[in-house]
Amino acid sequence: MRKTILTIAVCAGSLAAMAQTEPIRIDLGQKGAVVSPDLYGIFFEEINHAGDGGLYAELVQNRGFEEHVLPSSMTLREGRAWAIDAQNYEHRNNRKWNIPWNVEEKKMTGWKVKGERANVKGDIVEAKAPLHQNTPHAMQLTIKKVQKGGCAQLINTGYWGMGLKNGESYDLRFYVKSSNYKGTITARLRNSETGESLGTAVFKDKKLKDWTELTATLTATGTAPKGELALEFDKAGTVLVDYVSLFPQNTFKGRKNGQRADVAQMLVDLHPKFMRWPGGCIVEGATYENRVKWKETLGDPMTRRGEWDLWGYRATWGMGYHEFLQFCEDLGMDGMFVDNAGMSCSVRNGDYVSSDEDMDAVIQDFRDAIDYALADPATNKWAKMRADAGHPKPFPLKYVEIGNENVGPEYVTHFNYIFKKLSAEYPQIIFINTLGHDSPLLEQIPGKYMVDPHWYRNPDFFFANNHLFDDAPRTHDIYVGEYACNGGVGAGNLLAALSEAAFILGMERNSDVVKMTSYAPLFENENHRDWPCNLIHINSSDVFGRASYYVQQMAAENRPTYNVFVSETTTAGKPEPFKAGGIGLGSYATQCEYRDITITTADGTVKKVSPAELVAKRGEWKVDGDIIRQTSNQQLTLTQLPQFSNDTYTLQLKARKTGGMEGFFIYYGLDERGGNGYAANVGGWNNRTTAIQPIRRGRANDVLGRRARQTVEDNKWYDVRLEVNPMTVKLFVDNQEMTVAKPAENTRQFCQTGYDEATGELVIKVVNGTDKPYSRAFEIAGAKNVMPTGKVITLNGDANDENTFEQPTKLAPSTTLFGHFGKQFEYEFPPMSFSIMRVKVSK
């Protein structure tokens, strides 16, 4: 929802503050990068119940009674589901990945069996003659006795309630089989909180010896956010029930098996130019066999087997490949399909395929998906399936991403093998690589393709990286496929949104290379949060967007045609010096050794550190004389020197790699627990690059200073020196300066300008991420005339404010008219605000 205030706003600002600051100069005559018309899109992944219980309109949870079925290729042992024992493609170890698995608990997800003056027992069983081979389980009701006026009830509570609305109609479909049940079946909509009946359908005299489909349309006679569906049986007998579906007729654009109308409208209002589907980590799968298999998402939803989703629940794939493509067409978006590159998620099991036969099957899966969307039904069987599903014309598939967040040499091999063939066969498709935009491994991959870096960070990162792409290589176009501020910001407060706005301005400024972006994740059901911050929140009856949602909307609605010169894109803040802290040694999925460790402090004191003094925090460490060894394959290992904290010293040591993927970690500025600080990462990024990184909560984040190309050899001793002071840290390897890190400037004010050819307006975007008003003077050159009255769209509030179901638009943009634009003008931007000015100019 957008607040519009049609008043003349006169903001003279703080003249004294403006007089002390140079005006921000804008020159319409100096044209910058064209802003990609496809810059703003959306990314859908089945996480947080984004589809089932979210965008997908089905009301029945666990409709096929398959929730308890193990993930593909996994086995059950002692209450845990175990992945196959196979080598991890990135870490080259066998992770023996496993998760807890309670079959009995999962079976009844969404269901209750209850007797009203009836003796009934319910159990989910594997039917001897199943409804469909893909979904072999069914609910078996054993009804022994029903008193007069009583019934046995099979109740589904939906996804934490069914949002039933008065006067709206719902299509019911379910299957029943029984050799001895002779009674009536009543389907009833109910308010679960009051027990009130809100609509019924009665099925009498049905022959149920074989699986029988029963359908009805139920119209709700009242509204219930916590509604439920009950199937009632009034006689004794043994009954099998399978595939129970309740679908609102009022879906987005009236599509059968479609999307929830209110949720889909939230996406319409973002004006997305593309949609990425189906993920995300689920594309990779916890194991290779657990990956998304798009062919299993086609056809009658009753026949779709579904699959356990590595975010912790079974996905029905009711919103499958066809529905995704149809949704793209309905919203006027281009489709981006992501398919598995022959490897599972390296953070989970990481097993992969590599034989020519297996890789050819991987490539064929890509081919078939592209053909389903684009090929001629007269000549291609997959295109014929599309036509048989009601869509003979091609769908708007434009992009194909090969894998998701895959890294390392094995991915390079897979990508080259797949891309070489597909790019020749489908020149109309834009292919996307999952490596970061600055990965050295890109040098090993010839051809024209996009790259897809991802960032999930805290506000400081996004404020500090407004200029991230200013010096980025222009070798490959960039799609920032996943980014979000999700560290230390609650469920997503205004501070998070403003830091993202600052990052967006940098991407828009560099749209000659950053062609596409999408926030992630897109949705969360309020009852199942898998990720800290998500753009849109959903429950059974309502939906709202966070402040970040409105930042995305404001950016998309006010995308200029091209950038124009602005003299100041950031207002520099004061750098915060590196804090005093401890030192440590470590590695990343690498075995290594250290010796000859000395610390020289500012007063000239030299301390020789014995390996025995170090305290292991992460990894497997062993002291052998004057050498300390790390022998595990763990990531971000650490052994730390206790009771040392300083901000000015020189750390010298010798380091040797004995095995594994990368090189060394030399830590400085550590807190006592070793979770926060900084590290010189020598030979990181698959042993290609050296750089200094912040460490936050035991994780390496972004990069401070320049990156240096470096490969660490096995079994070679390196001399490493780290010169530390509060304002500068220098890293030397074998007496060669590799990189210099300086504290990030605490910059919280940003400006970006562009011109909208369609409206003849100058677009000025300003972020003020401080708790004080930001007063600035502006000068506009290159314009014959500047209209005095124009719009100012503002999102502002308190830093920690969040939208909620109770206050869904507490943070939402408001529009005012400002009457003092001119070739020179002044304006005061509110504290904690994202503002967009639209100024009518003639050139």
Side-chain angles (χ1 to χ4, degrees), residues 780-797:
I780 301 174
K784 292 179 181 179
N785 294 293
V786 178
M787 292 290 291
T789 301
K791 290 193 300 184
V792 182
I793 307 155
T794 305
L795 174 71
N796 67 295

Side-chain angles (χ1 to χ4, degrees), residues 336-353:
M336 180 189 298
F337 173 63
V338 189
D339 205 359
N340 189 288
M343 47 186 59
S344 69
C345 178
S346 65
V347 178
R348 279 85 177 181
N349 205 48
D351 55 300
Y352 64 104
V353 298

Side-chain angles (χ1 to χ4, degrees), residues 135 154 188 235 385 416 435 506 535 558 575 608 642 665 747 781 793 816 834:
T135 57
L154 175 61
R188 189 182 306 275
K235 300 293 182 183
M385 287 181 64
N416 276 330
L435 295 174
L535 197 65
N558 296 280
K608 292 185 178 180
F665 267 69
T747 302
I793 307 155
T816 59
F834 178 34

Side-chain angles (χ1 to χ4, degrees), residues 199-235:
T200 60
V202 179
F203 303 90
K204 294 181 177 180
D205 303 322
K206 298 294 182 180
K207 296 180 180 180
L208 305 175
K209 182 179 180 181
D210 298 316
W211 282 110
T212 302
E213 181 184 41
L214 301 177
T215 62
T217 297
L218 291 86
T219 299
T221 59
T223 294
K226 298 291 185 182
E228 63 186 16
L229 170 69
L231 299 180
E232 301 173 351
F233 301 83
D234 63 356
K235 300 293 182 183

